[in-house]
Amino acid sequence: MAYPIYLTIGNIPKDIRRKPSHHVQILLGYIPTTKLDGMPSKAGRRRALANLFHSCMRNVLGPISSVGETGLTMMSRDGVWRRCHPIFAVFVGDYPEQALVTCTFNGRCPKCLVPPGQLGKYELFPLRTQRSVIGSYLLADQDMRQFHQTCREAQLKPIVHPFWATFPLADIFISITPDILHQMLQGVMKHLISWLVDIFGASTIDTRCKSMPPNHKVLLFPKGITILSRVTGLEHKKMCGILLGLIVDLPVPGGLDSSRVVKAARALLDFLFLAQFQCHTSDTLSQLDNHLVAFHNNKAVFVDLGIRQNFHIPKLHSLLHYASSIRLFGTTDNYNTEQSERLHIDLAKKAFRATNRKDEYAQMTTWLERREKLQRHSASIDRRQNHWQSIQTRTLIGPPCVRAQSIKMAQSPSRKAVPFADIFGKYGAPLFQDALADFVVAVKNPELGARALCDRARNALLPFRTVQVYHNIKFTARNDAQEMEIVDAVYVRPEQRDRRGRIIPARFDTVLIQGSGQSKFFTLFTLRFGPK
Ligand SMILES: [Zn+2]
């Protein structure tokens, strides 16, 4: 077991911070993982553990925080020395860690003073402020009894000198940020899926999962979603992608209006997708709030159906704070706990494996220190060879925009000569030959009107009996890092058999084509069949 604390700097662009290979998140230290089993009292043990955590954090962060106001000179990657003021801005952690850090009790909001019975409401309550609680914590140096009593009245844990008490320009309650992984995917979405399963029944939901056609970037659950036992955040994310399709137009037991269930589910899903945007405008942020309002306006349907009695769920309440946190600290991918879970592999697991399993912490820190030195040295060599310039010319992330897509196809067709009879029978395109004649006539006689084209096409003779067929088209676009990536794919493939004689079912994807007249024909042909 290890309890690592990481540190990163907000100035670093997130596309650099996201890549572990850039080493912009450093390990500050390991917090003790002891459970203090020797202490007989459960409450005393819990209090001692919380105090131990804050004391360790004070040790770790003290030297950094003391120069927040005065500043200190640091060299940046380009080799220039600058005066920097490290200020504690954001704490990223899951809910128990947020409660531990802010000294609030379990089941309470670490950001505002919402009473436990009001967590399910769409209502903002007065925010907690560091200034208002700091007086209570200063009492620890004077009268211990009064300190405990004041903390109890303020609904705060009596921690002696919380680590953030002396930080300049910081407010620990503001520093608590949304957490997509634990609050949304493994929290609210997990609840929503279980409510929908309760309403419509596990077998109905699973049957719909099984009949889902394959599609690009859609993870299929061929055995259903209700039989899975330990569902990861990624699996919940993929389930959310198909959830609305699973429940739409399903009848609700008791003859109640199913549209309210769909509206409530859709509102939460929209909120989830918007909350994960990599870039926001004031418009998208107001939409984020609108979706939350839409959920609260329709949530009563779960009570009417007897699925829930109330919505006193801290994770559901936390959604109220998303928009304000995004305004303050940027989009949620800046402070997602998924990133630190990835760091555990490098900075805890790999480090542990490098030891002989005896007195491991000392060996782990030595191993990591050596690795850091090597990384710094190679960065320094890079800098001397002026490689850093290439990093500086990277493109910045702009506002969300429609990215130009291009089509990617194989050079040679999947089938070189398919007779018209097979296009009709195996590919299910009975009107293909007529449409091809219309197309050929339209291309050869662009001056003719619709009526004349129709007449001419009726008498047209195609001087071939077979066509080339392409079974797959990929759509590519540039991502934020300006790399080409496949954003969608279309398959047209009749039933076939593999080498062992097993049947591979046919796949014909649905394609919606925008356009009219001749352009429609043209798009249709290039989509399904390569030009001869
Ligand atoms: Zn709150």
Side-chain angles (χ1 to χ4, degrees):
M1 281 229 292
Y3 192 167
I5 302 288
Y6 305 113
L7 176 112
T8 187
I9 303 174
N11 307 42
I12 297 169
K14 63 186 174 187
D15 56 325
I16 292 180
R17 193 185 306 131
R18 235 194 319 248
K19 291 180 186 140
S21 58
H22 285 308
H23 309 291
V24 291
Q25 314 222 24
I26 58 158
L27 178 79
L28 269 187
Y30 296 111
I31 298 281
T33 51
T34 172
K35 295 272 184 288
L36 297 180
D37 291 326
M39 287 180 80
S41 149
K42 213 174 164 184
R45 201 188 310 152
R46 220 180 296 137
R47 207 160 42 229
L49 280 173
N51 274 298
L52 179 65
F53 170 81
H54 279 271
S55 167
C56 293
M57 287 294 277
R58 222 170 30 243
N59 267 337
V60 170
L61 291 173
I64 308 169
S65 68
S66 60
V67 289
E69 266 173 316
T70 51
L72 98 158
T73 45
M74 294 187 205
M75 187 170 69
S76 50
R77 202 188 155 97
D78 53 7
V80 178
W81 288 86
R82 293 183 167 89
R83 186 161 203 86
C84 300
H85 294 261
I87 287 164
F88 181 83
V90 163
F91 173 81
V92 182
D94 59 12
Y95 180 72
E97 286 162 348
Q98 291 178 349
L100 177 66
V101 164
T102 52
C103 310
T104 46
F105 286 101
N106 209 9
R108 306 300 293 265
C109 175
K111 289 184 79 73
C112 73
L113 294 163
V114 54
Q118 316 260 335
L119 283 165
K121 278 191 177 175
Y122 179 78
E123 190 182 336
L124 273 173
F125 289 84
L127 293 174
R128 296 174 189 268
T129 59
Q130 184 156 326
R131 199 182 296 166
S132 64
V133 301
I134 206 78
S136 315
Y137 286 112
L138 289 178
L139 287 173
D141 289 334
Q142 299 153 21
D143 184 352
M144 223 37 183
R145 248 184 68 192
Q146 208 195 338
F147 165 62
H148 278 271
Q149 198 187 334
T150 321
C151 285
R152 209 177 307 129
E153 283 163 10
Q155 293 281 328
L156 291 165
K157 283 182 198 154
I159 304 290
V160 182
H161 301 303
F163 72 88
W164 35 262
T166 53
F167 282 7
L169 307 166
D171 187 315
I172 190 66
F173 303 110
I174 294 177
S175 303
I176 299 298
T177 51
D179 173 9
I180 295 282
L181 178 64
H182 297 100
Q183 279 171 350
M184 293 264 8
L185 295 172
Q186 299 286 59
V188 177
M189 287 303 148
K190 195 174 165 187
H191 282 300
L192 177 70
I193 291 167
S194 73
W195 300 339
L196 295 176
V197 169
D198 284 350
I199 293 174
F200 298 111
S203 65
T204 315
I205 296 275
D206 285 347
T207 309
R208 284 214 160 178
C209 280
K210 287 171 197 168
S211 55
M212 212 74 173
N215 211 325
H216 187 70
K217 282 192 177 173
V218 172
L219 181 70
L220 295 177
F221 295 89
K223 289 179 181 167
I225 54 170
T226 61
I227 56 149
L228 301 172
S229 52
R230 286 188 61 175
V231 185
T232 62
L234 183 69
E235 280 169 330
H236 271 136
K237 199 179 196 170
K238 295 290 181 187
M239 282 180 198
C240 291
I242 58 167
L243 198 57
L244 209 58
L246 297 181
I247 59 152
V248 80
D249 79 18
L250 275 183
V252 172
L256 276 166
D257 183 11
S258 71
S259 71
R260 282 161 72 209
V261 179
V262 175
K263 276 181 196 160
R266 190 193 147 170
L268 272 189
L269 289 167
D270 279 337
F271 185 95
L272 168 74
F273 299 136
L274 265 175
Q276 293 178 95
F277 268 26
Q278 293 190 2
C279 187
H280 274 288
T281 63
S282 43
D283 185 43
T284 55
L285 283 175
S286 75
Q287 279 181 39
L288 192 70
D289 270 337
N290 293 346
H291 293 311
L292 194 56
V293 172
F295 169 73
H296 282 279
N297 287 344
N298 290 289
K299 71 182 174 191
V301 70
F302 296 111
V303 179
D304 296 346
L305 286 163
I307 302 299
R308 284 214 62 95
Q309 288 178 332
N310 58 57
F311 291 91
H312 301 157
I313 307 166
K315 284 176 181 175
L316 185 64
H317 164 85
S318 70
L319 308 190
L320 276 167
H321 299 296
Y322 271 50
S324 63
S325 288
I326 292 172
R327 279 191 190 95
L328 267 175
F329 301 118
T331 50
T332 53
D333 54 345
N334 278 301
Y335 35 80
N336 197 344
T337 43
E338 259 174 287
Q339 279 179 10
S340 53
E341 310 250 321
R342 169 71 185 76
L343 292 176
H344 292 341
I345 299 172
D346 268 357
L347 301 175
K349 287 183 182 167
K350 274 190 186 167
F352 178 72
R353 279 185 208 129
T355 68
N356 63 356
R357 271 73 161 165
K358 284 176 199 138
D359 189 22
E360 62 279 353
Y361 281 114
Q363 292 182 49
M364 281 160 81
T365 41
T366 312
W367 184 81
L368 284 168
E369 217 159 23
R370 283 181 188 153
R371 242 177 46 141
E372 268 175 27
K373 278 176 188 162
L374 283 171
Q375 283 153 8
R376 271 207 296 270
H377 185 64
S378 86
S380 151
I381 292 171
D382 261 10
R383 195 165 54 238
R384 275 160 200 270
Q385 291 174 342
N386 280 336
H387 274 238
W388 61 273
Q389 277 174 344
S390 62
I391 290 158
Q392 285 204 328
T393 53
R394 61 186 192 84
T395 43
L396 292 165
I397 296 169
C401 56
V402 179
R403 292 179 294 179
Q405 286 190 3
S406 49
I407 284 176
K408 194 178 169 192
M409 286 173 74
Q411 280 200 327
S412 47
S414 316
R415 296 276 180 278
K416 282 196 177 119
V418 179
F420 285 128
D422 282 357
I423 297 285
F424 177 66
K426 291 183 181 167
Y427 288 84
L431 299 175
F432 173 74
Q433 214 169 335
D434 293 342
L436 183 59
D438 287 352
F439 175 68
V440 171
V441 172
V443 170
K444 287 178 86 175
N445 309 287
E447 74 289 347
L448 288 184
R451 186 68 184 262
L453 277 177
C454 205
D455 288 343
R456 190 85 59 99
R458 211 171 291 151
N459 299 319
L461 197 71
L462 295 174
F464 48 87
R465 308 304 311 157
T466 59
V467 281
Q468 299 179 342
V469 178
Y470 290 75
H471 284 181
N472 172 231
I473 292 173
K474 292 189 175 87
F475 297 88
T476 54
R478 286 195 187 280
N479 61 14
D480 295 329
Q482 294 303 305
E483 297 152 350
M484 286 305 255
E485 76 174 359
I486 296 165
V487 289
D488 208 344
V490 177
Y491 290 88
V492 176
R493 197 184 53 217
E495 185 182 284
Q496 50 193 352
R497 284 177 186 274
D498 66 4
R499 278 182 196 161
R500 290 188 196 167
R502 288 173 301 192
I503 292 174
I504 305 169
R507 178 170 172 185
F508 292 100
D509 288 352
T510 306
V511 177
L512 300 179
I513 296 158
Q514 203 177 20
S516 60
Q518 289 181 13
S519 67
K520 182 167 75 184
F521 284 120
F522 184 74
T523 332
L524 187 68
F525 279 100
T526 47
L527 262 180
R528 281 198 152 190
F529 307 95
K532 180 101 181 172

